[in-house]
Amino acid sequence: MVWIFFILVALLLVVGMAAVITGRLTPDPMADPVASTPDHGLPPGDFRAEDVDAVRFDTALRGYRMDQVDDVVDRLRMRIAELESPD
């Protein structure tokens, strides 16, 4: 009886390794990010306060897509620095 269990475990290991080798099962379960909505980031060029209110981000596993958030924060930081700089 015990040998049947060992055969099943060995078979599972062989099938699992074959799935990893052929690419059907990846060691990294995180899929590549995809956009589910049109880009609702800041418009190119100058923007207004209403444009910041309209910003929307795609959701990800632990919150929002970091690349989208980083892009908006960088543009806001540059705009604030531009407004604060003495002319």
Side-chain angles (χ1 to χ4, degrees):
M1 269 322 230
V2 174
W3 59 273
I4 294 175
F5 173 75
F6 287 124
I7 290 174
L8 288 175
V9 169
L11 184 62
L12 259 161
L13 286 173
V14 169
V15 169
M17 288 302 295
V20 169
I21 290 171
T22 59
R24 296 200 184 267
L25 181 68
T26 60
D28 183 14
M30 296 289 293
D32 291 334
V34 295
S36 59
T37 60
D39 183 24
H40 290 291
L42 293 173
D46 289 338
F47 52 87
R48 301 181 324 200
E50 296 84 27
D51 296 330
V52 176
D53 293 336
V55 170
R56 298 289 177 261
F57 302 110
D58 289 330
T59 56
L61 181 63
R62 289 173 266 158
Y64 294 106
R65 294 258 318 263
M66 287 178 56
D67 58 336
Q68 293 176 346
V69 175
D70 290 343
D71 181 50
V72 170
V73 169
D74 289 342
R75 294 205 44 216
L76 287 170
R77 184 175 358 104
M78 287 187 307
R79 180 70 175 140
I80 290 169
E82 178 185 305
L83 293 172
E84 289 178 342
S85 68
D87 290 330

